[in-house]
Amino acid sequence: GKAHVLRALQYMRKLCSHPGLVLDVAVPEHAAACDKVLGCHDGGTVAAALADVECAPKMAALRDLLDECGVTGAAPDDGSGRRLAVA
């Protein structure tokens, strides 16, 4: 019913914020999914990879925004993966 839909939406919100909020490497299915996506083959490596900010789309976007605003001191990216020099 309605509660299942709300629970599913909350799960998706957490998953989009950061997969580490919903994935448990102790669950074989979760570990297998992480292995497939991240290319890690043991629980410790999967847990470490999940803790990486690159797995959190919102945090990566925030980092890029702060870079572009000059807050972090990193040069902006031109979209090709190369950093641009800012004068």
Side-chain angles (χ1 to χ4, degrees):
K2 197 174 196 178
H4 292 298
V5 171
L6 294 175
R7 192 174 303 133
L9 288 173
Q10 184 176 12
Y11 178 87
M12 292 300 294
R13 181 181 59 81
K14 288 179 180 179
L15 183 64
C16 290
S17 291
H18 195 290
L21 294 173
V22 295
L23 296 176
D24 180 2
V25 295
V27 176
E29 292 83 5
H30 291 187
C34 291
D35 178 36
K36 183 176 181 179
V37 173
L38 301 172
C40 305
H41 301 293
D42 64 68
T45 307
V46 170
L50 279 176
D52 187 7
V53 71
E54 294 301 320
C55 287
K58 289 182 180 180
M59 294 302 291
L62 176 61
R63 183 202 55 226
D64 292 345
L65 181 62
L66 292 173
D67 285 350
E68 288 177 15
C69 292
V71 174
T72 61
D77 191 327
D78 68 356
S80 68
R82 292 174 286 155
R83 296 288 180 182
L84 300 175
V86 178

